[in-house]
Amino acid sequence: MLQIQGFTFNFAGENTYILYNENKNAWLIDPGNSNPQETEAIGNFINENGLNIQKILLTHAHIDHILGLQWAVDTFKVPVTMHQEDKEVLDMFQISGMRFGMNLEHINAAIEYITEGDDLDLDGEKFSVYHVPGHSPGSVVYHHQGRNFIISGDVLFEGSIGRTDLFKGNYEQLIEGIRTKLFILNDETQVFSGHGNPTTIGFEKQHNPFLK
């Protein structure tokens, strides 16, 4: 049975997720741990549950979603899976850190690129990849149709959407992507966002003020 464990990390209240199954195989999504206490919390969960991290996936590469990325790469020795359009954002990590008063090192990691229409597999659990730019150029959403949930990153939130005033943001592009790729999903589809509480596609169709 696939399990989802969430952690809320760093100055932005970013949601990091671990997906894992009964075989103890797991994916780490958007590692945002930013200090020793946060790193200890997620590390302890992984160790205490005997999890084998097989992939590190990014929904996108904004600083708050990757503050723990180098730790994750060094610890689990697996590549980073992301969309190529966000490589430029990833390469801005140090510059982004300066804006928040952080002295950060360049991230050194092997990268595997994914794109729209790709499928990922966790021991038979199939995930579809949707490219939904607008918040960042390479934002992706991971959809498990069988279990009826998505990991949306900063594309869609409870009652809101990702901001579009950042590097290569595009409001119209984001709204169009949500309408054509996410709002066609089952209304009961759970949405695990990059910030805030989980929601559902049906709830957002009815109540999200940006998508009325």
Side-chain angles (χ1 to χ4, degrees):
M1 182 70 172
L2 194 65
Q3 304 287 326
I4 303 175
Q5 178 66 38
F7 301 83
T8 301
F9 288 147
N10 69 54
F11 65 92
E14 179 267 352
N15 291 331
T16 293
Y17 295 102
I18 297 176
L19 304 181
Y20 64 102
N21 60 23
E22 64 275 8
N23 298 327
K24 305 295 187 181
N25 292 324
W27 293 346
L28 174 59
I29 303 177
D30 289 356
N33 45 301
S34 63
N35 58 49
Q37 292 77 25
E38 292 177 350
T39 299
E40 183 179 17
I42 194 169
N44 284 347
F45 180 86
I46 292 167
N47 292 333
E48 288 167 5
N49 287 277
L51 301 182
N52 173 32
I53 301 295
Q54 296 185 327
K55 287 183 182 294
I56 301 166
L57 295 106
L58 301 184
T59 61
H60 65 298
H62 283 157
I63 184 172
D64 52 320
H65 289 254
I66 62 169
L67 283 167
L69 183 58
Q70 192 65 63
W71 164 81
V73 169
D74 293 343
T75 301
F76 305 114
K77 306 293 193 292
V78 294
V80 177
T81 300
M82 61 180 289
H83 195 284
Q84 189 165 10
E85 289 295 323
D86 250 34
K87 180 60 166 59
E88 191 173 3
V89 180
L90 181 67
D91 289 341
M92 294 167 61
F93 182 61
Q94 287 176 294
I95 296 172
S96 298
M98 291 176 190
R99 293 173 180 154
F100 292 99
M102 300 177 185
N103 183 19
L104 302 172
E105 298 293 329
H106 177 75
I107 290 175
N108 182 21
I111 298 175
E112 293 179 348
Y113 292 117
I114 51 172
T115 190
E116 176 86 25
D118 286 349
D119 289 321
L120 302 177
D121 186 301
L122 178 59
D123 293 350
E125 304 275 1
K126 302 286 188 181
F127 289 79
S128 298
V129 176
Y130 307 140
H131 181 210
V132 190
H135 173 65
S136 78
S139 285
V140 295
V141 172
Y142 300 103
H143 178 216
H144 193 313
Q145 186 171 356
R147 305 283 182 181
N148 217 27
F149 73 87
I150 61 174
I151 307 290
S152 70
D154 288 3
V155 169
L156 181 65
F157 304 125
E158 180 186 35
S160 191
I161 59 171
R163 55 188 292 188
T164 57
D165 59 334
L166 302 173
F167 175 73
K168 291 190 175 179
N170 186 305
Y171 179 83
E172 290 78 15
Q173 189 179 42
L174 179 58
I175 294 295
E176 178 70 10
I178 294 170
R179 291 194 184 282
T180 60
K181 297 180 182 181
L182 303 188
F183 275 14
I184 63 171
L185 303 179
N186 187 303
D187 281 357
E188 301 304 313
T189 302
Q190 289 184 285
V191 180
F192 293 96
S193 303
H195 303 268
N197 299 320
T199 183
T200 66
I201 292 295
F203 183 89
E204 297 313 311
K205 284 182 181 177
Q206 292 294 319
H207 302 289
N208 195 308
F210 293 91
L211 295 149
K212 289 283 192 180

